[in-house]
Amino acid sequence: MGKFTEYLDGKVYSCIGCRSNLARHTDIVSKQYEGNSGPAYLFRNAVNVRCSPPKCEQLYSGNHTVSTISCVTCSYQLGWKYVRVSSPRQKYKEGTYLIESAYTIKENRYV
């Protein structure tokens, strides 16, 4: 376990396990994704996450190289980061974070 290092203000998504800030509402690319547990959000940026070594996975949209992401504070597994995608049509996903909605809390934070 570690301590989260970055605080976000405004509308944010936080880890359900420890409430560490993860991403800003304004960084949502799409809410139309599915993770392993159900609905998920695709974010441009995420903070306070740890990435596993990348590996090739067969996902709904094809073979992609992804890193599993977990919370730096409580190690709760949150989703994955797209490292490389197989299709040129899906290049926009590279570098984005898929965070499963079941593992987040929506908060309004004003620092």
Side-chain angles (χ1 to χ4, degrees):
M1 294 216 201
K3 183 175 180 189
F4 73 99
T5 57
E6 193 165 338
Y7 292 89
L8 303 173
D9 62 349
K11 292 181 181 178
V12 300
Y13 291 82
S14 299
C15 174
I16 198 168
C18 66
R19 297 187 85 151
S20 291
N21 296 167
L22 299 173
R24 288 186 174 92
H25 179 78
T26 55
D27 281 330
I28 291 176
V29 174
S30 177
K31 294 181 180 181
Q32 302 299 316
Y33 278 78
E34 289 287 320
N36 295 327
S37 69
Y41 304 121
L42 188 67
F43 290 94
R44 279 182 206 86
N45 299 301
V47 297
N48 302 315
V49 296
R50 181 179 299 113
C51 294
S52 71
K55 60 183 176 182
C56 190
E57 292 278 343
Q58 176 64 42
L59 303 175
Y60 295 119
S61 56
N63 274 335
H64 302 305
T65 302
V66 298
S67 292
T68 300
I69 59 171
S70 58
C71 176
V72 296
T73 304
C74 69
S75 299
Y76 208 93
Q77 189 169 324
L78 302 164
W80 57 83
K81 178 181 181 179
Y82 287 96
V83 177
R84 276 187 298 283
V85 297
S86 57
S87 167
R89 292 179 43 212
Q90 296 183 26
K91 279 285 193 199
Y92 71 93
K93 291 181 184 177
E94 287 186 355
T96 61
Y97 298 82
L98 182 133
I99 300 177
E100 301 192 41
S101 60
Y103 307 141
T104 64
I105 299 169
K106 296 177 192 176
E107 299 184 283
N108 285 318
R109 300 183 60 91
Y110 296 96
V111 180

